[in-house]
Amino acid sequence: MIGKRRLLICSETDIPSVNMKSQLLKKRDWEDVGRHGNNSFLTNGKTIMMTTPDLHIRIEDVDQRIADAGFAVDEVVFMSRHSAASGEASLTVHPIGNFRENKFGGRERMLVRSNPALMSDALRKIVRYNDLSDFRVCFEVTHHGPWLDKPTFFIEIGSDERNWGNEAAAGILSDVILDMEPNDYDVAVGVGGGHYAPRFTEVALSFEINFGHMLPNYHLEGSSDEDIVRMVKDACEASDTRLVYMHRKSLRPAEEKRISELIRSAGFELITSADLERINGS
């Protein structure tokens, strides 16, 4: 873990979150360090696990709760369910924040700092550990709250009641949580594509690149030049990078040309897979 103090957050109202916590309790020795307000705390080395009755995406004062409980942390991982109308079985990770409105927590037009190296390693380890053939593994693009200051991502089981209670899936993600660690690959922001970021998932699994925030087509469509530059700039700042990887084939040629020119004119560097080294064995 390279010395970082990591906070895991479990929501008592979230079945996968509770199941991941249960698996973690079986696999490591945790010290009960008491309650503060409605939250209870366990520690294992430099890892802290906070259990709360509140729903993840609405906890807008995570930083304050941790400070009030006397802890200092460097990064935060939310253990959560993923909901989708498709009901598709899935194991996902994603950064958080809002490119536009804040219907599901967080702050309007504000992105939480991403944790590209840890999140991308989590994705790779999910693929490595996953033995559930019917579960899709992928990134999701940036969406929903809550707001906090620390580098953050969600790790999730989806997509409905048929999958949320899957103990094997919770076991896989608990192993990932215990084993994930950052690397020193370059970081890129993803631009284009759909909500489940198929191209960025594929690239992260094959090449030495970590993804931070991801800006999908549905936020690009109908946006002004100024708004696109704003969103790309915010994504790069919250991912601490100047590199942008576009899912070019997801865009019409004229839009791909326009957005590429906007990104370059704003001072960011566009990269492609040809610029990247393959991960050994991929």
Side-chain angles (χ1 to χ4, degrees), residues 3 19 29 103 138 180 214 231-232 266:
N19 287 347
D29 293 325
K103 290 182 180 178
C138 62
M180 62 187 179
M214 289 166 273
M231 291 188 287
V232 172

Side-chain angles (χ1 to χ4, degrees), residues 19 21 39 58-59 62 66 76 81 95 137 146 191 197 199 219 225 229 237 257 272 277:
N19 287 347
K21 174 184 175 179
N39 311 301
R58 300 296 181 186
I59 308 173
V62 172
I66 295 305
V76 180
R81 69 176 182 258
V137 178
V191 173
R199 182 56 182 157
H219 282 315
D225 290 358
V229 170
E237 287 182 351
K257 182 175 184 293
T272 69
E277 295 290 332

Side-chain angles (χ1 to χ4, degrees), residues 161-186:
E161 292 89 346
R162 292 171 296 175
N163 312 121
W164 291 338
N166 190 305
E167 292 281 359
I172 291 165
L173 294 193
S174 68
D175 285 338
V176 171
I177 289 167
L178 292 172
D179 293 350
M180 62 187 179
E181 53 187 17
N183 54 58
D184 59 359
Y185 299 163
D186 285 339

Side-chain angles (χ1 to χ4, degrees), residues 116-117 120-121 124 183-189 208-212:
S120 298
D121 187 68
R124 296 177 184 114
N183 54 58
D184 59 359
Y185 299 163
D186 285 339
V187 173
V189 157
E208 294 183 355
I209 191 72
N210 296 320
F211 280 91

Side-chain angles (χ1 to χ4, degrees), residues 18-268:
V18 170
N19 287 347
M20 281 184 257
K21 174 184 175 179
S22 177
Q23 291 286 334
L24 290 167
L25 294 180
K26 294 176 184 177
K27 295 171 181 177
R28 290 290 187 276
D29 293 325
W30 297 81
E31 180 184 357
D32 187 339
V33 290
R35 300 185 63 87
H36 194 279
N38 291 328
N39 311 301
S40 62
F41 294 89
L42 302 170
T43 61
N44 172 260
K46 291 187 176 181
T47 301
I48 302 159
M49 183 154 46
M50 181 180 88
T51 303
T52 176
D54 303 314
L55 184 63
H56 308 89
I57 64 173
R58 300 296 181 186
I59 308 173
E60 304 294 349
D61 60 346
V62 172
D63 298 306
Q64 191 60 52
R65 292 190 193 194
I66 295 305
D68 288 347
F71 296 108
V73 301
D74 300 303
E75 57 194 18
V76 180
V77 179
F78 288 85
M79 303 180 293
S80 178
R81 69 176 182 258
H82 165 62
S83 299
S86 69
E88 181 180 15
S90 61
L91 303 173
T92 74
V93 292
H94 70 85
I96 66 172
N98 299 299
F99 286 107
R100 299 193 184 282
E101 67 275 6
N102 59 339
K103 290 182 180 178
F104 302 103
R107 297 179 183 177
E108 186 174 333
R109 292 163 59 117
M110 293 284 286
L111 303 181
V112 175
R113 290 168 61 196
S114 66
N115 196 339
L118 199 66
M119 183 180 74
S120 298
D121 187 68
L123 176 77
R124 296 177 184 114
K125 284 193 167 70
I126 295 172
V127 169
R128 187 187 307 169
Y129 297 171
N130 179 35
D131 57 1
L132 302 173
S133 60
D134 54 337
F135 272 72
R136 174 187 189 180
V137 178
C138 62
F139 282 134
E140 289 180 82
V141 299
T142 304
H143 66 296
H144 74 59
W147 171 260
L148 63 158
D149 289 330
K150 303 301 180 185
T152 302
F153 70 94
F154 270 59
I155 186 166
E156 303 181 336
I157 298 172
S159 296
D160 63 17
E161 292 89 346
R162 292 171 296 175
N163 312 121
W164 291 338
N166 190 305
E167 292 281 359
I172 291 165
L173 294 193
S174 68
D175 285 338
V176 171
I177 289 167
L178 292 172
D179 293 350
M180 62 187 179
E181 53 187 17
N183 54 58
D184 59 359
Y185 299 163
D186 285 339
V187 173
V189 157
V191 173
H195 185 82
Y196 294 98
R199 182 56 182 157
F200 310 139
T201 299
E202 178 184 28
V203 171
L205 293 175
S206 300
F207 295 94
E208 294 183 355
I209 191 72
N210 296 320
F211 280 91
H213 283 287
M214 289 166 273
L215 173 61
N217 284 345
Y218 59 78
H219 282 315
L220 298 171
E221 292 165 356
S223 295
S224 66
D225 290 358
E226 293 76 14
D227 206 28
I228 289 173
V229 170
R230 172 191 67 81
M231 291 188 287
V232 172
K233 180 181 178 182
D234 288 350
C236 286
E237 287 182 351
S239 304
D240 194 23
T241 188
R242 306 290 295 177
L243 304 180
V244 177
Y245 190 106
M246 286 183 64
H247 186 176
R248 297 175 185 273
K249 291 184 179 179
S250 73
L251 296 161
R252 295 188 302 274
E255 276 296 277
E256 188 271 324
K257 182 175 184 293
R258 170 190 169 229
I259 294 169
S260 294
E261 290 175 351
L262 287 171
I263 290 170
R264 289 193 182 97
S265 66
F268 301 105

